[in-house]
Amino acid sequence: MSRYRAAEQRGSIRIPGVLKFLLFAVVLAAFVLVIMLTALRPIARVAVVDWAWANPSWITRIGFVNDMVREDLGSELTQPGGPDATKQTFDVPPNATVEDVAHALQAQHFVTDWRAFYYAALQGNLAPQLQSGSFIVQQSMTPAQLVTALIQAKVTLDTVQVTFREGIRLEQMTALLQTISSKVDPKAYYDLAKHPSQELLDAYPWLQKAGLPKGASLEGFLYPATYTLITDTHGAPYQITDAEALIRMQLDKFAAAIGEERMSVPSSRKMNFFQIVTLASIVQHETSFPKELPLVAGVYQNRLDRLNGFAPLMGSEPTVIYAVDTANLRKLDFDQWQTYFFWNSIPTKIADLKVPKDLQGYQTYQSTGLIPGPISTPTAAEIDAALNPDTSTGYLYFLALPDKSGNIFAKTLAEQNANIAKYYPNGFGG
């Protein structure tokens, strides 16, 4: 062996077998990874993306997972839900999650794929900033722009609330509107409710189906509730609440609270729905005790039916008070309605009280039959009583007990007079 060969052997490095295996494994793994990221990348992406959406919090934590999800979404990330650039409102309910919002946006056509919004929300850190409320959005926004809108474009409205309590009449509602600062013009409100336009009536066909007489006001159908009136939108796509908008809100509330079933009065009842509401409005003013409602309705129905030969005089004090108040309001300037005291008791003998000729139908101690129309808006409870009055008892009279615990009922005038003597020995004033 030459010295040069010996020197070459002395300069060589021996690699142990285990190390060779590890080196081979690394090279093989790198080769497999390259293959997966090239020819097999689509297959790998499907598996990774499926895992990512099952564990969305990891999308922003692992770089290659984020890349694959983004690659899978592709153009959806910059694709708007549609071409409409009109400002609209999107509501986020309390306790909604980002995923809830994403699905809702897709359902309302603000995004074409909920996952695109979800991804943009993860990138924009929406979750800790998400609030309930209404937000101004556009269909033409990209998912990322929608995320920004749900952080920065929350709707702020100036509002005022008005509460119409049960048992008040149209003029009281009008007088109440005179006392608050809103965009509802009290005069416009009263005029439209008193003389509804054909356009308004056409929007609520159930009113005509109910038997609303031609030229009648909306008294009886303006539902008592608390209403939020919008006074300023600050550019949001909402309607400022004007007189017509409030009336429509009340009619909508009536329809929702009463329902179509109650409006479809059985022929056996021999009344249309307008007459049912009229009777119910009287019942509303005669008792506040739920168990008495059918009995009071029964008293008036028995009177109307001329039970036992009884003259068909309804004899209801609230209807006469309604006529008196109406006559008094005519003498007041419109702006003074807010100072008027409604539903005040009549100090004189009510049976002899004269009212204007056009209001004579409400003088139920002199005129027979049902009054011309409602004196207030009844609720479902009173309407149910008017639909199903308890006439089986034969009651024709009732008397309010002095301790205000309810009414006592009677079948004959003799029984009624005995109750008066028992409970009011010193007369009603004593």
Side-chain angles (χ1 to χ4, degrees):
M1 181 181 298
S2 70
R3 56 182 178 180
Y4 298 104
R5 181 68 174 174
E8 181 180 327
Q9 289 180 349
R10 288 193 300 270
S12 65
I13 302 174
R14 293 179 177 273
I15 302 176
V18 175
L19 191 56
K20 284 182 179 181
F21 174 77
L22 291 175
L23 181 61
F24 171 78
V26 170
V27 172
L28 179 61
F31 176 75
V32 171
L33 183 59
V34 170
I35 293 297
M36 289 186 66
L37 296 179
T38 54
L40 300 179
R41 181 181 178 87
I43 298 175
R45 188 178 68 197
V46 170
V48 170
V49 168
D50 286 346
W51 176 87
W53 287 117
N55 304 275
S57 62
W58 288 96
I59 292 176
T60 55
R61 296 184 185 182
I62 304 176
F64 81 88
V65 173
N66 182 76
D67 292 340
M68 285 193 170
V69 170
R70 185 179 185 87
E71 181 181 322
D72 180 68
L73 291 170
S75 62
E76 294 290 347
L77 288 172
T78 56
Q79 181 73 25
D84 191 356
T86 304
K87 289 183 178 180
Q88 303 178 56
T89 56
F90 176 78
D91 295 328
V92 177
N95 303 316
T97 66
V98 172
E99 185 173 354
D100 294 335
V101 170
H103 285 291
L105 285 168
Q106 180 175 322
Q108 297 177 41
H109 308 292
F110 288 109
V111 293
T112 55
D113 189 332
W114 68 271
R115 297 174 306 165
F117 173 81
Y118 201 151
Y119 178 86
L122 290 171
Q123 300 299 312
N125 195 32
L126 174 62
Q129 304 177 76
L130 184 63
Q131 300 179 39
S132 61
S134 297
F135 298 81
I136 300 175
V137 296
Q138 297 164 269
Q139 193 185 61
S140 58
M141 287 180 168
T142 65
Q145 289 171 331
L146 286 169
V147 171
T148 300
L150 294 183
I151 295 174
Q152 300 179 1
K154 188 172 184 179
V155 173
T156 57
L157 302 173
D158 289 344
T159 63
V160 63
Q161 288 189 324
V162 59
T163 298
F164 298 126
R165 59 180 175 81
E166 296 177 10
I168 67 174
R169 56 184 287 175
L170 169 60
E171 288 77 6
Q172 279 178 283
M173 296 179 182
T174 303
L176 181 57
L177 289 171
Q178 292 177 339
T179 68
I180 66 173
S181 178
S182 74
K183 299 297 183 181
V184 177
D185 182 335
K187 189 66 167 64
Y189 172 85
Y190 177 73
D191 288 344
L192 184 58
K194 191 70 174 177
H195 306 287
S197 66
Q198 190 59 49
E199 179 184 6
L200 182 61
L201 293 174
D202 289 344
Y204 296 91
W206 55 264
L207 280 171
Q208 297 181 54
K209 184 180 177 182
L212 185 74
K214 186 176 181 179
S217 77
L218 297 178
E219 184 78 87
F221 300 94
L222 303 172
Y223 206 75
T226 297
Y227 296 92
T228 299
L229 313 180
I230 300 175
T231 59
D232 197 334
T233 66
H234 297 286
Y238 281 86
Q239 178 187 1
I240 287 177
T241 309
D242 59 11
E244 182 172 348
L246 175 55
I247 288 174
R248 285 176 178 266
M249 289 165 64
Q250 290 183 272
L251 292 174
D252 290 340
K253 185 73 173 178
F254 182 94
I258 304 306
E260 293 184 8
E261 185 176 352
R262 289 188 178 91
M263 295 183 191
S264 301
V265 184
S267 58
S268 59
R269 187 64 186 85
K270 298 179 181 180
M271 281 187 176
N272 62 28
F273 185 65
F274 178 79
Q275 293 169 322
I276 291 293
V277 171
T278 300
L279 176 58
S281 72
I282 299 174
V283 174
Q284 181 181 55
H285 285 269
E286 295 286 16
T287 182
S288 59
F289 296 90
K291 67 179 181 180
E292 292 185 353
L293 294 174
L295 292 173
V296 172
V299 166
Y300 287 116
Q301 190 61 55
N302 283 337
R303 292 180 182 180
L304 290 172
D305 292 341
R306 302 169 181 250
L307 186 68
N308 296 327
F310 188 86
L313 289 171
M314 294 193 73
S316 170
E317 184 177 3
T319 68
V320 184
I321 296 175
Y322 180 87
V324 170
D325 284 349
T326 301
N328 289 339
L329 288 169
R330 291 173 179 174
K331 302 172 186 177
L332 279 181
D333 289 338
F334 177 78
D335 292 339
Q336 296 301 309
W337 282 10
Q338 60 186 292
T339 67
Y340 186 75
F341 189 80
F342 291 83
W343 303 107
N344 201 9
S345 297
I346 296 173
T348 58
K349 188 176 180 181
I350 196 169
D352 297 333
L353 187 69
K354 294 185 180 300
V355 299
K357 186 176 180 180
D358 64 316
L359 298 174
Q360 185 61 37
Y362 294 95
Q363 200 348 338
T364 53
Y365 287 84
Q366 299 171 3
S367 299
T368 60
L370 188 65
I371 59 176
I375 57 176
S376 59
T377 300
T379 65
E382 291 96 26
I383 289 176
D384 284 340
L387 284 168
N388 299 285
D390 185 354
T391 58
S392 63
T393 60
Y395 289 142
L396 287 170
Y397 303 92
F398 59 93
L399 177 71
L401 295 172
D403 62 0
K404 299 181 180 180
S405 61
N407 290 277
I408 186 168
F409 294 80
K411 295 180 181 180
T412 67
L413 182 58
E415 289 179 4
Q416 176 76 345
N417 288 334
N419 287 333
I420 293 173
K422 176 180 179 180
Y423 292 103
Y424 295 92
N426 300 318
F428 291 107

